[in-house]
Amino acid sequence: MRAFIVERYGNQAGVRAGEMPDPQMGADDVLIQIHAASVNPLDLKIRDGDFKAFLPYRTPFVLGNDLSGVVVKVGVAVTRFAVGDEVYARPDKDRIGTFAELIAVHQDDVAIKPATLTMEEAASLPLVALTAWQALVERADVQPGQKVLIHAGSGGVGTIAIQLAKHLGASVATTTSTANVGLAKALGADVVVDYKKQAFETVLEDYDVVLDSLGGETLEKSLQVVKPGGMVIGIAGPPDPAFARELGANPILRLAMSALSFRTRRRARRHHVTYSFLFMKASGDQLRKLTPLIDAGQIRPVVDRVFPFESTREALEYAEKGRTKPGKVVIKIAEAPPGS
Protein backbone atom coordinates (compact mmCIF):
# COMPACT_ATOMS: atom_id res chain seq x y z
CA MET A 1 0.00 0.00 0.00
CA ARG A 2 1.01 3.62 -0.48
CA ALA A 3 1.91 5.49 2.69
CA PHE A 4 3.85 8.41 4.11
CA ILE A 5 6.65 7.01 6.21
CA VAL A 6 8.90 8.39 8.93
CA GLU A 7 12.32 7.00 8.01
CA ARG A 8 14.19 8.91 10.71
CA TYR A 9 13.21 11.21 13.54
CA GLY A 10 14.06 14.87 13.46
CA ASN A 11 12.09 16.99 11.00
CA GLN A 12 10.25 17.12 7.70
CA ALA A 13 13.23 15.68 5.83
CA GLY A 14 12.67 12.32 7.51
CA VAL A 15 9.21 11.83 5.96
CA ARG A 16 8.78 10.32 2.50
CA ALA A 17 6.19 8.67 0.32
CA GLY A 18 6.68 4.95 -0.23
CA GLU A 19 5.27 1.45 -0.20
CA MET A 20 4.55 -0.46 3.00
CA PRO A 21 3.15 -3.98 3.50
CA ASP A 22 -0.63 -4.17 3.86
CA PRO A 23 -1.64 -4.29 7.55
CA GLN A 24 -1.89 -7.60 9.37
CA MET A 25 -5.23 -8.19 11.05
CA GLY A 26 -6.14 -9.66 14.40
CA ALA A 27 -9.39 -11.40 15.26
CA ASP A 28 -10.89 -8.19 16.71
CA ASP A 29 -9.65 -5.88 13.95
CA VAL A 30 -11.40 -4.18 11.10
CA LEU A 31 -9.44 -3.38 7.95
CA ILE A 32 -10.30 0.15 6.79
CA GLN A 33 -9.70 1.69 3.40
CA ILE A 34 -8.80 5.21 4.47
CA HIS A 35 -10.56 8.00 2.61
CA ALA A 36 -9.26 10.93 4.65
CA ALA A 37 -6.98 11.69 7.58
CA SER A 38 -6.17 14.90 9.39
CA VAL A 39 -2.98 16.50 10.68
CA ASN A 40 -2.58 17.09 14.41
CA PRO A 41 0.19 18.72 16.44
CA LEU A 42 0.76 15.21 17.80
CA ASP A 43 1.90 14.07 14.35
CA LEU A 44 4.57 16.76 14.27
CA LYS A 45 5.79 15.91 17.76
CA ILE A 46 5.97 12.20 16.92
CA ARG A 47 7.79 12.93 13.65
CA ASP A 48 10.36 15.08 15.48
CA GLY A 49 10.93 12.47 18.20
CA ASP A 50 9.59 14.65 21.02
CA PHE A 51 7.61 11.73 22.50
CA LYS A 52 10.14 8.94 21.95
CA ALA A 53 10.45 8.41 25.70
CA PHE A 54 6.91 7.01 25.95
CA LEU A 55 5.95 6.49 22.28
CA PRO A 56 9.02 4.66 20.96
CA TYR A 57 7.95 3.91 17.40
CA ARG A 58 10.58 1.98 15.47
CA THR A 59 11.44 3.52 12.13
CA PRO A 60 10.27 3.17 9.47
CA PHE A 61 6.67 3.70 10.52
CA VAL A 62 3.57 5.33 9.05
CA LEU A 63 2.47 8.63 10.58
CA GLY A 64 -1.12 9.73 11.21
CA ASN A 65 -3.53 9.62 14.15
CA ASP A 66 -7.11 9.84 12.90
CA LEU A 67 -9.17 8.81 9.91
CA SER A 68 -12.42 8.25 8.11
CA GLY A 69 -12.98 5.43 5.66
CA VAL A 70 -14.80 2.26 4.68
CA VAL A 71 -14.50 -1.20 6.25
CA VAL A 72 -13.18 -3.65 3.63
CA LYS A 73 -12.56 -6.70 5.86
CA VAL A 74 -13.43 -7.81 9.40
CA GLY A 75 -11.72 -10.17 11.81
CA VAL A 76 -13.39 -13.39 12.91
CA ALA A 77 -14.33 -11.95 16.33
CA VAL A 78 -15.68 -8.62 15.07
CA THR A 79 -19.32 -8.05 16.01
CA ARG A 80 -19.77 -4.29 15.67
CA PHE A 81 -19.00 -3.77 11.98
CA ALA A 82 -19.53 -5.21 8.53
CA VAL A 83 -17.83 -4.76 5.18
CA GLY A 84 -19.04 -1.53 3.59
CA ASP A 85 -19.58 0.40 6.84
CA GLU A 86 -18.44 4.02 6.73
CA VAL A 87 -16.46 4.68 9.90
CA TYR A 88 -14.18 7.12 11.68
CA ALA A 89 -11.57 6.46 14.35
CA ARG A 90 -8.52 7.47 16.30
CA PRO A 91 -6.38 4.30 16.38
CA ASP A 92 -4.72 3.28 19.62
CA LYS A 93 -1.40 5.04 20.27
CA ASP A 94 0.44 1.78 19.60
CA ARG A 95 -1.21 1.32 16.19
CA ILE A 96 -1.05 4.69 14.46
CA GLY A 97 -0.57 5.04 10.71
CA THR A 98 -3.46 6.83 9.02
CA PHE A 99 -1.39 8.55 6.31
CA ALA A 100 -1.82 5.40 4.23
CA GLU A 101 -4.32 3.62 2.02
CA LEU A 102 -5.20 0.94 4.60
CA ILE A 103 -5.10 0.43 8.34
CA ALA A 104 -6.18 -2.33 10.73
CA VAL A 105 -7.88 -0.98 13.86
CA HIS A 106 -9.35 -2.80 16.88
CA GLN A 107 -13.13 -2.71 16.70
CA ASP A 108 -13.32 -1.05 20.13
CA ASP A 109 -11.62 2.06 18.73
CA VAL A 110 -13.93 2.53 15.73
CA ALA A 111 -17.37 4.14 15.31
CA ILE A 112 -19.83 4.60 12.46
CA LYS A 113 -19.18 7.90 10.71
CA PRO A 114 -21.66 10.73 11.39
CA ALA A 115 -24.18 10.61 8.57
CA THR A 116 -24.24 14.38 8.12
CA LEU A 117 -20.51 14.73 7.46
CA THR A 118 -18.32 14.23 4.43
CA MET A 119 -15.34 11.92 4.76
CA GLU A 120 -13.04 14.93 5.00
CA GLU A 121 -15.10 16.54 7.77
CA ALA A 122 -15.32 13.27 9.69
CA ALA A 123 -11.56 12.72 9.48
CA SER A 124 -10.97 16.08 11.16
CA LEU A 125 -12.73 15.04 14.36
CA PRO A 126 -11.66 11.84 16.17
CA LEU A 127 -8.51 12.96 17.99
CA VAL A 128 -9.69 16.48 18.84
CA ALA A 129 -13.24 15.45 19.73
CA LEU A 130 -12.00 12.65 22.00
CA THR A 131 -9.55 15.07 23.62
CA ALA A 132 -12.35 17.53 24.36
CA TRP A 133 -14.63 14.77 25.69
CA GLN A 134 -11.99 13.22 27.92
CA ALA A 135 -10.99 16.61 29.32
CA LEU A 136 -14.41 18.15 29.89
CA VAL A 137 -16.62 15.12 30.55
CA GLU A 138 -14.33 12.47 32.03
CA ARG A 139 -11.62 14.48 33.76
CA ALA A 140 -13.39 17.71 34.78
CA ASP A 141 -17.02 16.47 34.91
CA VAL A 142 -18.21 19.89 33.73
CA GLN A 143 -21.67 20.77 35.08
CA PRO A 144 -24.28 23.31 33.94
CA GLY A 145 -23.46 26.81 35.16
CA GLN A 146 -19.75 26.22 35.62
CA LYS A 147 -17.20 28.53 34.01
CA VAL A 148 -14.78 26.97 31.53
CA LEU A 149 -11.82 28.64 29.83
CA ILE A 150 -10.59 27.04 26.61
CA HIS A 151 -7.34 28.35 25.20
CA ALA A 152 -6.68 28.58 21.45
CA GLY A 153 -10.37 28.59 20.61
CA SER A 154 -9.76 28.55 16.86
CA GLY A 155 -7.48 25.50 16.98
CA GLY A 156 -8.43 21.90 16.34
CA VAL A 157 -9.20 21.04 19.97
CA GLY A 158 -10.48 24.50 20.82
CA THR A 159 -13.18 24.67 18.16
CA ILE A 160 -14.68 21.38 19.35
CA ALA A 161 -14.16 22.00 23.07
CA ILE A 162 -16.07 25.31 22.93
CA GLN A 163 -19.07 23.57 21.38
CA LEU A 164 -18.94 20.62 23.77
CA ALA A 165 -18.64 22.87 26.83
CA LYS A 166 -21.68 24.84 25.68
CA HIS A 167 -23.60 21.58 25.18
CA LEU A 168 -22.71 20.68 28.77
CA GLY A 169 -24.26 23.94 29.96
CA ALA A 170 -21.07 25.80 30.87
CA SER A 171 -20.31 29.48 30.49
CA VAL A 172 -17.36 29.45 28.09
CA ALA A 173 -14.45 31.84 27.66
CA THR A 174 -11.75 31.40 25.07
CA THR A 175 -8.59 33.05 23.81
CA THR A 176 -7.90 33.64 20.13
CA SER A 177 -6.41 36.13 17.69
CA THR A 178 -8.22 39.18 16.32
CA ALA A 179 -9.01 37.46 13.02
CA ASN A 180 -10.86 34.60 14.73
CA VAL A 181 -12.93 36.44 17.34
CA GLY A 182 -16.04 36.15 15.17
CA LEU A 183 -15.61 32.41 14.71
CA ALA A 184 -15.15 31.85 18.46
CA LYS A 185 -18.41 33.69 19.14
CA ALA A 186 -20.19 31.76 16.41
CA LEU A 187 -19.06 28.49 17.99
CA GLY A 188 -20.70 29.57 21.24
CA ALA A 189 -18.04 31.27 23.35
CA ASP A 190 -19.62 33.72 25.83
CA VAL A 191 -16.38 35.62 26.43
CA VAL A 192 -13.66 35.96 23.80
CA VAL A 193 -10.29 37.37 24.78
CA ASP A 194 -8.23 38.67 21.87
CA TYR A 195 -4.74 37.78 23.06
CA LYS A 196 -3.24 40.42 20.79
CA LYS A 197 -5.08 43.13 22.71
CA GLN A 198 -5.60 41.73 26.21
CA ALA A 199 -3.87 39.50 28.73
CA PHE A 200 -6.43 36.85 29.69
CA GLU A 201 -5.18 36.62 33.26
CA THR A 202 -6.10 40.29 33.83
CA VAL A 203 -9.72 40.00 32.64
CA LEU A 204 -10.80 36.50 33.67
CA GLU A 205 -11.27 35.12 37.19
CA ASP A 206 -12.97 32.41 39.22
CA TYR A 207 -13.08 29.75 36.52
CA ASP A 208 -13.88 26.15 37.42
CA VAL A 209 -11.92 24.53 34.59
CA VAL A 210 -9.20 25.57 32.14
CA LEU A 211 -8.34 23.46 29.10
CA ASP A 212 -4.85 24.47 27.94
CA SER A 213 -3.39 23.32 24.63
CA LEU A 214 -0.50 25.80 24.60
CA GLY A 215 1.62 25.10 27.69
CA GLY A 216 4.47 27.29 28.88
CA GLU A 217 3.53 30.74 30.17
CA THR A 218 -0.11 30.25 29.20
CA LEU A 219 -0.32 27.24 31.52
CA GLU A 220 1.36 29.09 34.39
CA LYS A 221 -0.94 32.11 34.02
CA SER A 222 -3.99 29.85 33.79
CA LEU A 223 -3.44 28.81 37.40
CA GLN A 224 -4.24 32.40 38.40
CA VAL A 225 -7.73 32.46 36.87
CA VAL A 226 -9.03 29.23 38.43
CA LYS A 227 -10.97 29.46 41.66
CA PRO A 228 -9.92 27.34 44.66
CA GLY A 229 -10.86 23.72 44.06
CA GLY A 230 -10.80 24.15 40.29
CA MET A 231 -8.74 22.32 37.71
CA VAL A 232 -6.31 23.15 34.91
CA ILE A 233 -6.04 20.40 32.31
CA GLY A 234 -2.97 20.56 30.09
CA ILE A 235 -2.70 18.68 26.80
CA ALA A 236 0.61 20.25 25.78
CA GLY A 237 2.40 19.16 28.94
CA PRO A 238 4.23 18.88 31.15
CA PRO A 239 3.32 15.24 31.90
CA ASP A 240 2.58 14.48 35.55
CA PRO A 241 3.09 11.46 37.85
CA ALA A 242 -0.48 10.24 37.28
CA PHE A 243 0.18 9.98 33.55
CA ALA A 244 3.44 8.13 34.20
CA ARG A 245 1.59 5.58 36.34
CA GLU A 246 -1.16 5.22 33.75
CA LEU A 247 1.46 4.65 31.08
CA GLY A 248 3.20 1.98 33.16
CA ALA A 249 6.45 3.89 32.79
CA ASN A 250 9.68 2.58 34.29
CA PRO A 251 10.95 4.23 37.51
CA ILE A 252 13.43 6.48 35.68
CA LEU A 253 10.77 7.80 33.30
CA ARG A 254 8.34 8.26 36.19
CA LEU A 255 10.92 10.33 38.02
CA ALA A 256 11.62 12.40 34.92
CA MET A 257 7.93 13.15 34.33
CA SER A 258 7.47 14.04 37.98
CA ALA A 259 10.39 16.46 37.76
CA LEU A 260 9.06 18.06 34.56
CA SER A 261 5.74 18.96 36.17
CA PHE A 262 6.97 19.63 39.72
CA ARG A 263 7.02 23.41 39.39
CA THR A 264 3.58 23.54 37.80
CA ARG A 265 2.06 21.21 40.41
CA ARG A 266 3.65 23.22 43.23
CA ARG A 267 2.23 26.47 41.86
CA ALA A 268 -1.17 24.82 41.47
CA ARG A 269 -1.14 23.79 45.12
CA ARG A 270 -0.31 27.35 46.13
CA HIS A 271 -3.43 28.51 44.29
CA HIS A 272 -5.42 25.60 45.81
CA VAL A 273 -6.17 24.18 42.36
CA THR A 274 -5.31 20.94 40.57
CA TYR A 275 -3.08 20.51 37.54
CA SER A 276 -3.77 17.43 35.40
CA PHE A 277 -2.00 16.32 32.21
CA LEU A 278 -4.16 14.61 29.59
CA PHE A 279 -2.93 12.37 26.79
CA MET A 280 -6.07 11.28 25.05
CA LYS A 281 -6.95 7.63 24.42
CA ALA A 282 -8.69 5.90 21.55
CA SER A 283 -12.35 5.10 22.26
CA GLY A 284 -15.05 3.99 19.88
CA ASP A 285 -17.60 4.19 22.70
CA GLN A 286 -16.89 7.88 23.24
CA LEU A 287 -17.06 8.57 19.50
CA ARG A 288 -20.48 6.91 19.51
CA LYS A 289 -21.57 9.33 22.26
CA LEU A 290 -20.28 12.27 20.24
CA THR A 291 -21.86 11.21 16.94
CA PRO A 292 -25.48 12.17 17.83
CA LEU A 293 -24.27 15.63 18.89
CA ILE A 294 -22.49 15.98 15.56
CA ASP A 295 -25.46 14.79 13.51
CA ALA A 296 -27.73 17.17 15.47
CA GLY A 297 -25.45 20.09 14.60
CA GLN A 298 -24.48 20.76 18.22
CA ILE A 299 -20.86 20.04 17.33
CA ARG A 300 -19.65 20.90 13.86
CA PRO A 301 -16.19 20.40 12.43
CA VAL A 302 -14.04 23.33 11.32
CA VAL A 303 -11.79 22.44 8.37
CA ASP A 304 -9.17 24.88 7.14
CA ARG A 305 -7.79 23.17 4.04
CA VAL A 306 -7.83 19.78 2.29
CA PHE A 307 -4.64 18.46 0.66
CA PRO A 308 -4.42 15.56 -1.81
CA PHE A 309 -2.66 12.42 -0.59
CA GLU A 310 0.44 13.02 -2.69
CA SER A 311 0.85 16.40 -0.92
CA THR A 312 0.97 14.96 2.61
CA ARG A 313 4.43 16.43 3.26
CA GLU A 314 3.10 19.84 2.21
CA ALA A 315 0.13 19.37 4.55
CA LEU A 316 2.51 18.72 7.45
CA GLU A 317 4.56 21.76 6.53
CA TYR A 318 1.44 23.93 6.27
CA ALA A 319 0.24 22.77 9.69
CA GLU A 320 3.66 23.42 11.20
CA LYS A 321 4.00 27.01 10.07
CA GLY A 322 2.02 28.49 12.92
CA ARG A 323 -1.05 29.25 10.85
CA THR A 324 -3.54 31.86 11.99
CA LYS A 325 -6.40 30.21 10.09
CA PRO A 326 -8.91 28.24 12.18
CA GLY A 327 -9.63 24.53 12.14
CA LYS A 328 -7.99 21.37 10.90
CA VAL A 329 -5.79 20.41 7.97
CA VAL A 330 -7.14 17.32 6.21
CA ILE A 331 -5.54 14.90 3.75
CA LYS A 332 -7.81 13.31 1.13
CA ILE A 333 -6.53 9.79 0.47
CA ALA A 334 -9.31 8.21 -1.61
CA GLU A 335 -12.58 9.17 -3.23
CA ALA A 336 -15.60 8.77 -0.98
CA PRO A 337 -18.30 6.24 -1.96
CA PRO A 338 -21.29 7.68 -3.85
CA GLY A 339 -23.71 9.41 -1.51
CA SER A 340 -21.16 9.98 1.27
Side-chain angles (χ1 to χ4, degrees), residues 4 12 15 39 305 307-321 323 329 331:
F4 275 81
Q12 185 80 334
V15 179
V39 179
R305 184 171 168 185
F307 285 79
F309 188 33
E310 59 269 19
S311 299
T312 295
R313 292 181 83 251
E314 289 80 359
L316 288 165
E317 183 179 5
Y318 180 77
E320 189 175 21
K321 281 184 174 178
R323 302 167 300 110
V329 175
I331 299 164

Coordinates of all heavy atoms in Angstrom, one line a residue, residues 4 12 15 39 305 307-321 323 329 331:
F4 N 2.8 7.4 3.8 CA 3.8 8.4 4.1 C 4.5 7.9 5.4 O 3.9 7.7 6.4 CB 3.3 9.8 4.2 CG 3.2 10.5 2.9 CD1 2.1 10.2 2.0 CD2 4.2 11.3 2.4 CE1 2.0 10.8 0.8 CE2 4.1 11.9 1.2 CZ 3.0 11.6 0.4
Q12 N 11.0 17.4 8.9 CA 10.2 17.1 7.7 C 11.1 16.3 6.7 O 10.5 15.5 6.0 CB 9.9 18.5 7.0 CG 9.0 18.3 5.8 CD 7.5 18.1 6.1 OE1 7.2 17.6 7.2 NE2 6.7 18.5 5.2
V15 N 10.5 12.4 6.4 CA 9.2 11.8 6.0 C 9.2 11.7 4.4 O 9.6 12.6 3.7 CB 8.0 12.7 6.4 CG1 6.7 12.2 5.9 CG2 8.0 12.9 7.9
V39 N -4.3 16.2 10.1 CA -3.0 16.5 10.7 C -3.2 17.1 12.1 O -4.0 18.0 12.2 CB -2.2 17.5 9.8 CG1 -0.8 17.8 10.5 CG2 -1.9 16.9 8.4
R305 N -8.2 23.5 5.4 CA -7.8 23.2 4.0 C -7.7 21.7 3.8 O -7.3 20.9 4.8 CB -6.5 23.9 3.8 CG -5.9 23.7 2.4 CD -4.7 24.6 2.1 NE -4.1 24.3 0.9 CZ -2.9 24.9 0.5 NH1 -2.3 25.8 1.2 NH2 -2.4 24.5 -0.7
F307 N -5.8 18.7 1.6 CA -4.6 18.5 0.7 C -4.8 17.1 0.0 O -5.4 16.2 0.7 CB -3.3 18.4 1.4 CG -2.8 19.8 1.8 CD1 -3.3 20.5 2.9 CD2 -1.8 20.4 1.1 CE1 -2.8 21.7 3.3 CE2 -1.3 21.6 1.5 CZ -1.8 22.3 2.5
P308 N -4.4 16.9 -1.2 CA -4.4 15.6 -1.8 C -3.4 14.7 -1.2 O -2.4 15.2 -0.6 CB -4.1 15.8 -3.3 CG -3.4 17.1 -3.3 CD -3.9 17.9 -2.2
F309 N -3.5 13.4 -1.3 CA -2.7 12.4 -0.6 C -1.2 12.6 -1.0 O -0.3 12.6 -0.1 CB -3.1 11.0 -0.9 CG -2.4 9.9 -0.2 CD1 -2.0 10.1 1.1 CD2 -2.2 8.7 -0.7 CE1 -1.3 9.1 1.8 CE2 -1.5 7.7 -0.1 CZ -1.1 7.9 1.2
E310 N -0.9 12.9 -2.2 CA 0.4 13.0 -2.7 C 1.1 14.3 -2.1 O 2.3 14.4 -2.2 CB 0.5 13.0 -4.2 CG -0.3 14.1 -4.9 CD -1.7 13.7 -5.2 OE1 -2.2 12.7 -4.6 OE2 -2.3 14.4 -6.1
S311 N 0.3 15.2 -1.5 CA 0.9 16.4 -0.9 C 0.9 16.3 0.6 O 0.8 17.4 1.3 CB 0.0 17.6 -1.4 OG 0.1 17.8 -2.8
T312 N 1.0 15.1 1.2 CA 1.0 15.0 2.6 C 2.1 15.7 3.3 O 1.9 16.3 4.3 CB 1.0 13.5 3.0 OG1 -0.2 12.8 2.5 CG2 1.2 13.3 4.5
R313 N 3.3 15.7 2.7 CA 4.4 16.4 3.3 C 4.1 17.9 3.3 O 4.5 18.6 4.3 CB 5.7 16.2 2.5 CG 6.2 14.7 2.6 CD 7.5 14.5 1.9 NE 8.7 14.9 2.7 CZ 9.4 16.0 2.4 NH1 9.1 16.8 1.3 NH2 10.5 16.3 3.1
E314 N 3.5 18.4 2.2 CA 3.1 19.8 2.2 C 2.0 20.1 3.3 O 2.1 21.2 3.9 CB 2.6 20.2 0.8 CG 3.7 20.3 -0.2 CD 4.0 18.9 -0.8 OE1 3.5 17.9 -0.3 OE2 4.9 18.9 -1.7
A315 N 1.1 19.2 3.5 CA 0.1 19.4 4.6 C 0.8 19.5 5.9 O 0.4 20.3 6.8 CB -0.9 18.2 4.5
L316 N 1.8 18.6 6.2 CA 2.5 18.7 7.5 C 3.2 20.1 7.6 O 3.2 20.7 8.6 CB 3.5 17.6 7.5 CG 2.9 16.2 7.8 CD1 4.0 15.1 7.5 CD2 2.4 16.0 9.2
E317 N 3.8 20.5 6.5 CA 4.6 21.8 6.5 C 3.6 22.9 6.8 O 3.9 23.8 7.5 CB 5.3 22.0 5.2 CG 6.2 23.2 5.2 CD 6.9 23.3 3.9 OE1 6.7 22.5 3.0 OE2 7.7 24.3 3.7
Y318 N 2.5 22.9 6.1 CA 1.4 23.9 6.3 C 1.0 24.0 7.7 O 0.8 25.1 8.3 CB 0.3 23.6 5.3 CG -0.9 24.6 5.4 CD1 -0.7 25.9 4.8 CD2 -2.1 24.3 6.0 CE1 -1.8 26.8 4.8 CE2 -3.1 25.2 6.0 CZ -3.0 26.4 5.4 OH -4.0 27.3 5.5
A319 N 0.7 22.8 8.3 CA 0.2 22.8 9.7 C 1.3 23.2 10.7 O 1.0 23.7 11.8 CB -0.2 21.4 10.0
E320 N 2.6 23.1 10.3 CA 3.7 23.4 11.2 C 4.0 24.9 11.2 O 4.6 25.4 12.2 CB 4.9 22.6 10.8 CG 6.0 22.7 11.7 CD 7.2 21.8 11.3 OE1 7.3 21.5 10.1 OE2 8.0 21.4 12.2
K321 N 3.5 25.6 10.2 CA 4.0 27.0 10.1 C 3.4 28.0 11.0 O 3.6 29.2 10.8 CB 3.8 27.5 8.6 CG 4.9 26.9 7.7 CD 4.7 27.5 6.3 CE 5.8 27.1 5.4 NZ 5.6 27.6 4.0
R323 N 0.0 28.6 11.6 CA -1.0 29.2 10.8 C -2.0 30.0 11.8 O -2.1 29.7 12.9 CB -1.9 28.2 10.1 CG -1.2 27.3 9.2 CD -2.0 26.2 8.7 NE -2.4 25.3 9.9 CZ -3.6 25.2 10.3 NH1 -4.6 25.9 9.8 NH2 -3.9 24.4 11.4
V329 N -6.3 20.7 9.3 CA -5.8 20.4 8.0 C -6.1 18.9 7.7 O -5.8 18.1 8.5 CB -4.3 20.7 7.9 CG1 -3.7 20.2 6.6 CG2 -4.0 22.1 8.2
I331 N -6.2 15.5 4.9 CA -5.5 14.9 3.7 C -6.6 13.9 3.1 O -7.1 13.0 3.8 CB -4.3 14.1 4.2 CG1 -3.2 15.1 4.8 CG2 -3.7 13.4 3.0 CD1 -2.2 14.4 5.5

